[in-house]
Amino acid sequence: MTAKENALNWFEIPVSEMGRAAKFYETIFGIQLAQQEMMGMKMAMFPSESMDGKVSGSLVQGPMHKPAADGTKVYLNGNPDLGAVLSKVEAAGGKILMPKTKITDEIGFMGFFADTEGNTVGLHSNK
């Protein structure tokens, strides 16, 4: 890894019920997740352009993926304003853990929510 490369190249958010979890993320982000089975796991991929150097990831239901509130934190892209994403969380079955909070003028804003599976997930946006 070098300073010119992404420190993160893939993420997986553990889920215990794929249908429920996929619906939650599709609802709050207004996206479609591509679902498939791979290596004995159910996966729902976040939209991305293949092999373009941008980081992406998926929801994963499998034996090595257990949802948890504590552990590694992933910050999903809430641009242009994460407030729009947070405003959909509770109606979709999640819970807001940290409302939109300013970090600095240069860095932008952050927030946290609990998804329908019990994971704590971060959001970041510039506005």
Side-chain angles (χ1 to χ4, degrees):
M1 176 179 9
T2 70
K4 294 184 180 193
E5 298 172 313
N6 292 322
L8 178 70
N9 66 2
W10 182 257
F11 65 86
E12 295 178 341
I13 298 174
V15 305
S16 50
E17 210 308 312
M18 183 58 75
R20 176 182 61 208
K23 181 179 178 184
F24 174 80
Y25 283 93
E26 288 174 341
T27 298
I28 68 169
F29 285 105
I31 57 173
Q32 283 296 120
L33 300 175
Q35 294 192 40
Q36 65 181 18
E37 290 199 27
M38 182 185 303
M39 299 170 37
M41 300 177 289
K42 292 182 181 179
M43 301 181 82
M45 313 293 190
F46 284 86
S48 70
E49 294 178 6
S50 219
M51 307 304 280
D52 66 356
K54 295 179 184 171
V55 175
S56 191
S58 70
L59 306 178
V60 181
Q61 181 180 346
M64 294 186 60
H65 294 78
K66 303 292 180 213
D70 296 325
T72 301
K73 300 298 181 242
V74 173
Y75 286 78
L76 299 177
N77 185 347
N79 279 315
D81 181 346
L82 67 87
V85 177
L86 282 178
S87 72
K88 300 173 190 174
V89 165
E90 292 184 349
K95 181 179 179 185
I96 297 170
L97 302 175
M98 175 194 281
K100 181 178 175 180
T101 303
K102 186 175 187 174
I103 304 167
T104 67
D105 288 339
E106 298 76 29
I107 296 172
F109 295 84
M110 65 183 286
F112 280 103
F113 63 86
D115 69 10
T116 55
E117 308 307 293
N119 295 300
T120 297
V121 179
L123 289 169
H124 174 266
S125 67
N126 298 324
K127 296 181 183 179

